[in-house]
């Protein structure tokens, strides 16, 4: 393990500038809510998944899942 010089570490500057980042639209802001209120808050239903397309030799059949009755 390499030792880190604390004086050199103290001179480090920079970081990630998050100013101007757009807020995500796929999260809910639950700041200020209690844990219980957050758990009980209604959420929007998820969109339906696309139809499953199976092909011979796909991973499910290779794993033997097609053989399970």
């Amino acid at each position: 393990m390499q030792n880190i010089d604390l004086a050199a570490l103290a001179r480090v500057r920079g970081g990630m500038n998050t100013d101007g980042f757009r807020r995500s639209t796929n999260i809910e802001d639950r700041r200020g809510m209690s844990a219980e209120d957050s758990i009980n808050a209604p959420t929007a239903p998820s969109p339906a998944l696309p139809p499953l397309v199976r092909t011979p030799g796909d991973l499910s059949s290779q794993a033997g899942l097609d053989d399970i009755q």
Side-chain angles (χ1 to χ4, degrees):
M1 184 169 144
Q2 184 179 10
N3 290 332
I4 298 175
D5 179 24
L6 296 181
L9 184 61
R11 290 189 299 269
V12 173
R13 298 187 183 271
M16 186 171 181
N17 182 2
T18 58
D19 294 338
F21 278 19
R22 70 171 179 80
R23 291 188 62 116
S24 177
T25 57
N26 63 350
I27 61 169
E28 297 174 8
D29 186 4
R30 294 187 177 185
R31 289 176 289 188
M33 295 177 74
S34 70
E36 185 175 337
D37 290 341
S38 178
I39 290 171
N40 294 326
T43 57
S46 299
L49 293 173
L52 179 63
V53 177
R54 298 291 308 272
T55 57
D58 63 6
L59 188 59
S60 297
S61 66
Q62 292 176 28
L65 297 180
D66 292 340
D67 299 329
I68 299 174
Q69 299 296 326

